Amino acid sequence: MKQISGAEQRRLIENRTHDNPLEKWGCYLSERQWGTVREDYSEDGNAWQYFPFEHAKSRTYLWGEDGIAGFCDYFQNICFAPAMWNGKDPIIKERLFGLANGQGNHGEDVKELYYYLDNIPTHYYMKYLYKYPQQEFPYAALLEKNKERTLQEPEYELLDTGVFDNSEYFDVFIEYAKLNSEDVYICIEVVNRAATEAPFVLMPTIWIYNRWQNGTLKERPLLQMVREGMLNIAHERMGNYFFYFESTGEQYFAENETNTELLLSKPNKYAFPKDAINDVIVSGKNKAKLKANKTGTKFSPVYRVNIKGGESQKFYFRLSNTQVDEPFAPGFEEIFSTRKKEADEFYTSLIHAPEVDIANIERQAYAGLLWTKQYYHYDVESWLKNADGITVASDVRKAGRNSSWQYLKNQDIISMPDKWEYPWYAAWDLAFHTISLALVDATYAKHQLILLMREWYMNQDGQLPAYEWDFSSVNPPVHAFAAMEVYRIDQRINGKADIKFLKRIFQKLIINFTWWVNRKDANGNSIFEGGFLGMDNIGIFNRNETLAEGLRLEQTDGTSWMGIYALNMMEMAFEIAQQDASFEDAVTKFYEHFVIIAEALNQLDLWDSEDGFFYDVLSADKKEKIPLKVRSIVGLIPLCAVSLFENSAIDKMTDFSKRMTWFENYRMSNDKYLPNEEGNNNQTLLLSLVNKDRLQVIIQRFLDSDEFLSEYGIRSLSKYYQENPYSVSIHGEEYTIEYDPADSTSTMFGGNSNWRGPIWMPINYIFIKSLHRYGEFYGDTVLVEFPSRSGNKITLRQLARELTIRLLKVFMRNEEGNRPVYASYNEFYKREENKHLVQFFEYFDGDNGRGLGASHQTGWTALLLNLIADFKDTME
């Protein structure tokens, strides 16, 4: 892996010396604030219903702002985003439209076409594409058609409506180029893809996040003109900023205040509320009065143009803390080409794929990963005890959702799973994000992991917050794994071992590990529970629900995740102990804990020797044990606990080496389970939850095309259940599970994700990383058939590379020019202007690779970048 150099890298190095290494300005604006838990003050907790899309144009948010391709400071005081209108829509387009959870046949879903084209860590250069139909946007059709569709049918998407069939749309490119950290140029280029001329209205909008409504600002911010083409932004926290724009005869001021007259039948406090600019553009309402208004907290100059077919028009803007006489001096456009060249230079060291298509996929994956940074603000205590001015505070809310997390006070820039579908952090998603972020900005990646462990995030009992819908829910404990991945990537790229980072996060992870041991090991036998563990509908029943009295679910994945956790903690302590011998005790502690978990997993009924697979077991009254014989990734997670240690390094750790020898001898002499295996002429120690014999048995199913192996990766549930659904009767109630390769056919956890057949990138990533380790240890002494029964035998490291290729094929153009990720929409993506566009979905069809779920979940799907990097490293 090459070391990164150039102007962008110099900026990153400089920023590391600051107390806050984040750039002050960036793409920190959410793409959806409505329908979030933070904005929900209802007693029943129906966030989608309490703040629907229809209210967003007229109602002020309390906890953040949203927009298309938005830009703001890292406290979101001042916001910028473009708004537009095609002359036909009932509302201007100032935010992305999508369905609420109850409106879609597969849960919430954005119904827009937009793409993250480019970005770099300091956001000195960014580019975004939004596709805007020239016909009336089909809001009603999208609602009605999705409502009509069943769980067995696919979602009705924007491309299904026909509005793009004749290329009657605008490509709106939004491009940012910073002159310095406090001065940014903005270019909005509108391309008419149709053959005929079409009208377009552009409203670049500056507005202020409404903090004065809750008293956190002493003075109300003020936007007012200095002169034609120059707006002054006065803000007590930010000082003075200036927004420069090309002269236009039409511009409007409004207030970022709720239209209470429209929504609550109460008189408006201000004459021109949040939706005033929308109303004047769409219907001409209050045009003369609004034009006469000269101040506000929201401002838009208006550009009305007619663009000929196949032609384009550019608009330039500038946001700066400096007052200048000539904001668009001759040659100012060069800043865009300069910053683009710097971005190209930055990625040259990261992307060296000879194939143009793969290089393009990587570049857009990096772009999406960086575009999904978001300002996230949530003070649970304040949210519970205060009202929003619409609904009064109540005792029901005070004892309701997240009431045990009142000290959680978040206000940070956080990597989001998807800024529209999931505009809130999720504990295990974020851990995976950091692994890819480490490739471009290790400082930020480490900061994100540490942040989640801080006192204003982690519960006092040691639990990490899962996600805002239920912070007390439980996600897989992958943070030690992520920390070690980030540490190693940082070391490879920057040539330094950041032991200080390991020590700092290790201290917090010990607290979280202890929480798991105390809370999720009910019988104290190292067989763990955990509930759904982030894999929503993976179980035959909802694993988050409380079972009938006397029933307890002993989870293979819960136990395996804890084995992985213990092993990762041992690795971390082992690495630190090379420089600080006081950590040898911690190496011993986690080594012994790992051995005990491995013993429980392999010897306490979770392994089915007849089937050669690990299953969850339902324990009834501590007497009867019912194995739930469902072959899913639950039973494959044990493969992921594997680490290698050099015996030469162990020998240097006197105390640990002595204790380890005694521990091994004791267990062997008492015929107890021991997961240790020596290799490479006794130079290397392998620790794994699965021994060599069981590994080879499980791999046969793992690589069976009729079970887990797809042309595009490893499925989450065996395809065997497509024709052979599995059923079990528990206390007189029948439960059934079958293979669903695409969207979920159950409503469990909202029905917007599916773990009963599709391919999930993060789990495939861990599988492949584990195979690399097994392969490094076993070499060519272990050969597997790929696929099973094919007679084609390869090593485990070769298998890791083959699986990487299959995952990459999801996004690559095939011989017909189709990308499997787009499935039936490939004709649209074969148009010349769309050939290069790539979206990174949440998960993928287990049979054909079609993208499913959130369409911009670049966060953990960006792990493809790490797999490509590993692929290149193993081939060099």
Side-chain angles (χ1 to χ4, degrees):
M1 195 174 287
K2 297 179 182 177
Q3 195 162 11
I4 306 170
S5 59
E8 174 65 4
Q9 185 64 7
R10 288 193 291 274
R11 286 191 286 264
L12 287 172
I13 292 170
E14 168 64 24
N15 286 354
R16 286 177 204 159
T17 66
H18 303 162
D19 290 339
N20 183 351
L22 274 173
E23 274 289 314
K24 185 173 183 178
W25 293 87
C27 50
Y28 308 143
L29 197 67
S30 175
E31 288 170 341
R32 177 175 64 82
Q33 185 68 18
W34 60 272
T36 61
V37 167
R38 285 155 286 155
E39 301 294 339
D40 176 24
Y41 284 76
S42 67
E43 289 193 352
D44 65 2
N46 191 333
W48 294 103
Q49 189 176 66
Y50 188 76
F51 203 134
F53 172 79
E54 291 74 18
H55 283 198
K57 72 178 178 64
S58 307
R59 184 170 158 188
T60 304
Y61 298 125
L62 282 125
W63 296 98
E65 298 289 336
D66 60 16
I68 299 170
F71 189 81
C72 66
D73 63 278
Y74 50 43
F75 283 115
Q76 208 170 87
N77 294 297
I78 300 171
C79 306
F80 170 86
M84 60 203 84
W85 190 52
N86 57 14
K88 298 175 182 176
D89 287 352
I91 57 174
I92 63 173
K93 180 65 68 175
E94 56 183 336
R95 62 182 47 80
L96 299 172
F97 169 72
L99 305 183
N101 182 267
Q103 295 172 328
N105 59 325
H106 297 292
E108 65 266 29
D109 191 47
V110 68
K111 301 299 182 185
E112 303 271 14
L113 291 182
Y114 59 103
Y115 309 85
Y116 303 128
L117 299 183
D118 215 348
N119 209 328
I120 51 178
T122 63
H123 314 299
Y124 263 64
Y125 182 76
M126 305 191 295
K127 193 171 185 179
Y128 182 113
L129 168 62
Y130 175 74
K131 290 183 177 287
Y132 189 30
Q134 293 172 9
Q135 298 178 34
E136 182 178 339
F137 195 90
Y139 293 105
L142 288 165
L143 284 164
E144 290 164 8
K145 292 289 186 182
N146 278 285
K147 186 178 181 180
E148 292 170 3
R149 292 200 172 188
T150 67
L151 289 170
Q152 285 68 39
E153 293 178 284
E155 296 169 338
Y156 185 72
E157 303 290 5
L158 185 58
L159 281 171
D160 295 321
T161 67
V163 294
F164 291 97
D165 286 356
N166 299 314
S167 294
E168 293 179 348
Y169 66 91
F170 298 105
D171 270 345
V172 184
F173 294 94
I174 302 97
E175 196 172 12
Y176 295 89
K178 289 184 185 179
L179 189 63
N180 58 54
S181 288
E182 297 271 17
D183 197 337
V184 62
Y185 282 91
I186 305 158
C187 174
I188 299 177
E189 181 180 13
V190 184
V191 184
N192 182 357
R193 295 298 183 189
T196 57
E197 185 176 86
F200 184 86
V201 182
L202 176 66
M203 294 146 281
T205 305
I206 285 280
W207 75 100
I208 308 297
Y209 172 23
N210 189 335
R211 281 190 159 91
W212 55 91
Q213 63 186 316
N214 56 23
T216 55
L217 283 181
K218 294 177 182 178
E219 295 182 10
R220 186 183 181 85
L222 182 67
L223 307 182
Q224 62 182 349
M225 297 299 299
V226 177
R227 61 171 190 264
E228 181 62 29
M230 180 181 177
L231 176 80
N232 176 239
I233 306 164
H235 194 290
E236 69 177 62
R237 293 186 177 182
M238 300 289 288
N240 285 292
Y241 276 79
F242 303 91
F243 179 61
Y244 301 98
F245 55 96
E246 295 169 307
S247 182
T248 174
E250 189 178 1
Q251 56 203 34
Y252 300 108
F253 287 90
E255 299 293 344
N256 189 10
E257 297 277 1
T258 298
N259 187 337
T260 54
E261 184 178 305
L262 175 70
L263 298 179
L264 305 173
S265 300
K266 295 180 180 180
N268 282 324
K269 189 176 180 180
Y270 294 89
F272 306 111
K274 183 179 178 180
D275 56 11
I277 297 174
N278 171 88
D279 292 350
V280 75
I281 296 296
V282 174
S283 66
K285 180 181 179 181
N286 291 327
K287 185 171 184 178
K289 291 181 180 179
L290 192 62
K291 198 166 186 179
N293 184 41
K294 300 301 180 183
T295 62
T297 50
K298 182 178 181 180
F299 170 78
S300 296
V302 181
Y303 301 87
R304 299 177 185 268
V305 295
N306 289 291
I307 304 175
K308 292 181 179 179
E311 296 188 3
S312 66
Q313 189 160 340
K314 290 184 177 181
F315 305 86
Y316 290 99
F317 311 96
R318 185 176 176 183
L319 178 61
S320 175
N321 66 344
T322 305
Q323 187 170 350
V324 295
D325 294 328
E326 198 172 3
F328 304 107
F332 79 90
E333 300 97 333
E334 291 179 9
I335 190 64
F336 292 95
S337 57
T338 297
R339 296 301 182 229
K340 174 66 165 60
K341 286 177 184 177
E342 291 173 358
D344 293 343
E345 180 185 32
F346 178 73
Y347 284 116
T348 297
S349 302
L350 288 170
I351 302 171
H352 39 87
E355 302 89 348
V356 173
D357 192 30
I358 296 177
N360 173 61
I361 291 167
E362 290 189 77
R363 185 72 172 256
Q364 288 186 59
Y366 280 118
L369 185 66
L370 294 169
W371 267 102
T372 47
K373 290 182 183 179
Q374 180 190 306
Y375 170 78
Y376 183 86
H377 187 195
Y378 191 17
D379 180 335
V380 174
E381 182 181 19
S382 173
W383 176 76
L384 287 170
K385 74 179 183 181
N386 294 318
D388 64 347
I390 298 174
T391 302
V392 297
S394 71
D395 291 337
V396 173
R397 284 193 65 247
K398 288 176 183 177
R401 174 178 283 146
N402 296 329
S403 56
S404 62
W405 291 80
Q406 294 194 34
Y407 49 81
L408 186 140
K409 302 180 188 304
N410 301 164
Q411 189 174 194
D412 295 285
I413 303 300
I414 305 177
S415 176
M416 297 294 151
D418 179 310
K419 285 167 76 170
W420 191 94
E421 190 140 350
Y422 306 117
W424 30 259
Y425 66 89
W428 79 311
D429 296 60
L430 183 55
F432 286 117
H433 299 181
T434 64
I435 298 170
S436 298
L437 283 166
L439 294 170
V440 284
D441 189 354
T443 300
Y444 180 67
K446 289 182 282 189
H447 169 268
Q448 292 287 280
L449 284 169
I450 293 290
L451 183 66
L452 198 60
M453 312 283 163
R454 291 310 304 264
E455 294 72 20
W456 49 92
Y457 282 78
M458 180 186 279
N459 196 299
Q460 291 173 330
D461 63 13
Q463 184 179 9
L464 296 179
Y467 62 144
E468 68 175 34
W469 289 92
D470 181 7
F471 283 130
S472 293
S473 193
V474 182
N475 283 177
V478 293
H479 302 84
F481 171 79
M484 285 305 297
E485 289 286 284
V486 168
Y487 168 79
R488 291 181 183 119
I489 293 167
D490 182 32
Q491 188 175 24
R492 288 201 304 270
I493 292 177
N494 297 311
K496 297 178 182 178
D498 192 350
I499 296 296
K500 183 179 178 181
F501 161 69
L502 284 188
K503 284 185 172 182
R504 189 176 181 191
I505 200 164
F506 185 82
Q507 293 169 353
K508 295 299 180 70
L509 287 169
I510 286 177
I511 300 170
N512 179 246
F513 186 91
T514 305
W515 175 84
W516 270 90
V517 172
N518 290 340
R519 293 296 184 91
K520 298 301 174 182
D521 179 11
N523 289 340
N525 61 355
S526 293
I527 295 292
F528 289 84
E529 301 164 77
F532 83 120
L533 287 174
M535 299 187 289
D536 298 1
N537 62 345
I538 192 72
I540 195 167
F541 50 77
N542 186 341
R543 301 194 302 173
N544 251 25
E545 290 182 352
T546 302
L547 298 174
E549 188 175 351
L551 292 179
R552 191 174 71 84
L553 186 64
E554 298 178 344
Q555 294 183 217
T556 286
D557 55 341
T559 304
S560 301
W561 285 123
M562 283 304 291
I564 295 167
Y565 201 169
L567 196 52
N568 293 146
M569 292 295 281
M570 179 188 170
E571 285 183 310
M572 201 178 301
F574 192 90
E575 189 73 15
I576 298 169
Q578 308 302 308
Q579 298 185 26
D580 185 343
S582 67
F583 274 76
E584 282 191 43
D585 289 354
V587 179
T588 302
K589 181 265 181 296
F590 286 106
Y591 164 66
E592 294 186 4
H593 209 134
F594 171 76
V595 171
I596 291 166
I597 294 172
E599 178 181 46
L601 178 77
N602 284 278
Q603 296 192 340
L604 295 183
D605 303 309
L606 298 180
W607 172 255
D608 188 301
S609 56
E610 183 179 344
D611 288 2
F613 208 77
F614 288 100
Y615 296 121
D616 283 351
V617 171
L618 196 63
S619 175
D621 299 316
K622 298 184 180 181
K623 297 175 183 178
E624 182 186 6
K625 291 203 172 184
I626 306 167
L628 301 177
K629 294 193 173 187
V630 179
R631 292 193 295 280
S632 72
I633 52 174
V634 164
L636 297 178
I637 297 298
L639 296 175
C640 302
V642 53
S643 290
L644 303 178
F645 299 89
E646 294 303 314
N647 283 328
S648 58
I650 293 174
D651 292 340
K652 293 177 182 177
M653 300 167 64
T654 309
D655 186 76
F656 171 62
S657 179
K658 182 179 177 181
R659 172 66 183 181
M660 184 182 188
T661 301
W662 178 89
F663 188 74
E664 290 177 358
N665 291 335
Y666 175 83
R667 293 190 72 80
M668 287 188 288
S669 64
N670 287 277
D671 198 27
K672 286 180 172 287
Y673 187 87
L674 192 66
N676 303 26
E677 187 174 348
E678 301 285 347
N680 192 19
N681 294 321
N682 290 327
Q683 294 182 40
T684 307
L685 170 68
L686 170 78
L687 293 180
S688 64
L689 284 179
V690 180
N691 64 31
K692 185 177 180 180
D693 291 339
R694 290 185 179 180
L695 170 66
Q696 291 175 296
V697 171
I698 296 171
I699 284 285
Q700 290 178 33
R701 292 197 188 276
F702 186 78
L703 298 181
D704 191 331
S705 300
D706 294 330
E707 295 220 34
F708 290 101
L709 182 64
S710 161
E711 284 296 314
Y712 304 100
I714 299 299
R715 302 179 177 107
S716 49
L717 182 73
S718 172
K719 192 173 183 177
Y720 172 81
Y721 302 110
Q722 187 170 42
E723 302 295 333
N724 307 278
Y726 176 82
S727 296
V728 65
S729 180
I730 303 171
H731 282 196
E733 191 166 350
E734 194 79 10
Y735 296 93
T736 300
I737 190 169
E738 60 184 320
Y739 174 73
D740 288 326
D743 293 302
S744 175
T745 57
S746 80
T747 57
M748 202 181 296
F749 290 90
N752 64 329
S753 70
N754 182 25
W755 290 82
R756 294 182 173 182
I759 296 155
W760 290 79
M761 186 67 71
I763 301 301
N764 273 258
Y765 176 79
I766 298 180
F767 287 153
I768 291 171
K769 294 295 288 188
S770 301
L771 288 169
H772 275 298
R773 288 192 174 185
Y774 284 119
E776 183 181 344
F777 183 80
Y778 290 120
D780 57 8
T781 66
V782 172
L783 300 177
V784 296
E785 282 188 288
F786 178 77
S788 294
R789 302 184 302 278
S790 67
N792 176 45
K793 295 197 172 185
I794 60 175
T795 67
L796 295 173
R797 295 202 84 178
Q798 289 170 331
L799 172 57
R801 290 194 289 269
E802 290 294 336
L803 291 178
T804 297
I805 291 169
R806 291 198 175 204
L807 290 166
L808 186 54
K809 279 168 57 180
V810 170
F811 306 96
M812 291 179 64
R813 284 200 298 265
N814 59 24
E815 294 82 358
E816 292 78 35
N818 297 326
R819 298 185 193 274
V821 67
Y822 289 135
S824 60
Y825 303 119
N826 265 296
E827 287 307 309
F828 178 78
Y829 287 101
K830 287 201 284 193
R831 296 179 189 177
E832 192 59 38
E833 70 270 21
N834 300 330
K835 282 182 178 180
H836 67 293
L837 300 176
V838 185
Q839 288 180 326
F840 299 87
F841 287 78
E842 182 181 4
Y843 55 101
F844 306 90
D845 190 301
D847 291 340
N848 61 33
R850 176 168 65 100
L852 299 162
S855 57
H856 294 73
Q857 193 148 345
T858 321
W860 69 15
T861 301
L863 288 165
L864 184 70
L865 293 166
N866 301 78
L867 293 176
I868 293 172
D870 288 345
F871 185 94
K872 294 170 185 174
D873 287 346
T874 59
M875 295 299 287
E876 290 176 356

